[in-house]
Amino acid sequence: MRHNPFDKDTLTNIFLVGSGKGGVGKSTLTANLAVALASQGNKVGLIDADIFGFSIPGQLGITDKPTRVDELMLPPVAFGVKVISIGMFVDDNKPVAWRGPMLHRAIEQFLSDVYWGDLDVLLVDLPPGTGDVAISLGQLLPTAKTIVVTTPQLSASEVAERSGAVGLQTGQAVFGVIENMSYLEQGGKKIELFGHGGGEKVAASLAKLSGAEVRLIGQVPISVALREGSDTGKPLCAEDSKDAAAIEIHKIASLIAKQGRLLAGRKLNLDPK
């Protein structure tokens, strides 16, 4: 096994994007956040760690497979984002039926056997829930922060809290909470189809658990254009869109980018002579 370039000495900001359950739009948001970050001038990598429910290649319109150079794989690039997914190694949409040790091995290879180069940001699309992959990544990426995606319903928020809590158990701070499908804008009015308050509740609960501030960093509205972009492999945030969802995702991306490189406490190799 080659060296993991994202260990405790990495300068790359790493964000694990998780959710308590499926169907909340986590992968769509992760793909669009990656594209938005790249469009803002950042060097971005994206790992699709949802081994059983991989969807990132389709969302970004990727049909290419990684290219092997010596002992490393060069990941395909889409919209300025370097991407790796188990979907690139599976033909004809065949299901992946693996147990825990194989999942851990696949995640290790995504980190150490792929040539990522110098990244500003690495996003990881976690599978929903609190299983083996989330625990493995928490151990392999000690500097990562967690982003929790939820929807406005209070019942959904209770499930989402568990996703952030797992990250806390493996040492990851919670960067923030994104509330997806927050409202539908119609005729200048915001219609809260799925209720309200879920994102704020998750943030407050995780702040209490962690003993640190956890913010609601975005409320993304329901968007037909966002959904269509995912279905066609042309992410909404790759366009100069005035869609409310795209504007909100770009705002979240700016918050992520403002973290800067992890240079605090690092010695600079400068010769005083």
Side-chain angles (χ1 to χ4, degrees), residues 218-243:
Q219 292 177 290
V220 181
I222 296 170
S223 167
V224 173
L226 183 64
R227 190 270 302 164
E228 289 177 342
S230 294
D231 288 346
T232 59
K234 299 175 181 178
L236 180 62
C237 288
E239 307 171 3
D240 183 18
S241 175
K242 305 302 181 186
D243 185 275

Side-chain angles (χ1 to χ4, degrees), residues 13-197:
N13 272 295
I14 305 169
F15 297 89
L16 308 179
V17 187
S19 63
K21 62 188 184 71
V24 301
K26 169 185 55 63
S27 296
T28 297
L29 287 181
T30 306
N32 276 273
L33 276 172
V35 171
L37 281 160
S39 74
Q40 293 174 13
N42 299 284
K43 292 172 286 186
V44 184
L46 172 55
I47 294 177
D48 183 358
D50 193 350
I51 303 296
F52 301 132
F54 56 86
S55 65
I56 294 296
Q59 297 211 30
L60 295 179
I62 298 173
T63 56
D64 295 336
K65 296 184 182 295
T67 304
R68 181 166 287 281
V69 177
D70 295 328
E71 297 180 357
L72 289 174
M73 292 180 287
L74 297 180
V77 179
F79 305 100
V81 180
K82 296 179 179 179
V83 184
I84 198 73
S85 169
I86 199 67
M88 297 170 181
F89 305 93
V90 177
D91 295 324
D92 302 323
N93 201 31
K94 291 181 180 177
V96 178
W98 291 349
R99 293 186 183 274
M102 291 184 70
L103 295 172
H104 184 81
R105 171 64 177 164
I107 295 302
E108 282 186 318
Q109 288 187 297
F110 284 173
L111 296 174
S112 60
D113 292 355
V114 174
Y115 179 73
W116 292 105
D118 183 31
L119 298 179
D120 296 312
V121 181
L122 176 68
L123 296 181
V124 183
D125 183 35
L126 294 177
T130 57
D132 291 337
V133 171
I135 295 169
S136 291
L137 281 163
Q139 296 168 342
L140 292 166
L141 300 173
T143 68
K145 303 179 185 73
T146 300
I147 295 175
V148 178
V149 179
T150 188
T151 49
Q153 309 98 299
L154 295 179
S155 59
S157 69
E158 292 173 356
V159 181
E161 290 165 16
R162 299 172 201 156
S163 176
V166 166
L168 292 173
Q169 290 176 3
T170 52
Q172 279 70 47
V174 181
F175 179 73
V177 176
I178 301 174
E179 185 181 86
N180 195 26
M181 303 183 229
S182 290
Y183 58 88
L184 175 66
E185 194 165 307
Q186 200 168 58
K189 294 183 179 180
K190 293 182 178 180
I191 303 171
E192 295 176 326
L193 291 177
F194 300 113
H196 67 280

Side-chain angles (χ1 to χ4, degrees), residues 200-223:
E200 292 176 347
K201 183 176 182 296
V202 174
S205 175
L206 293 175
K208 186 176 180 180
L209 281 172
S210 65
E213 180 187 13
V214 176
R215 295 182 295 162
L216 178 62
I217 58 175
Q219 292 177 290
V220 181
I222 296 170
S223 167

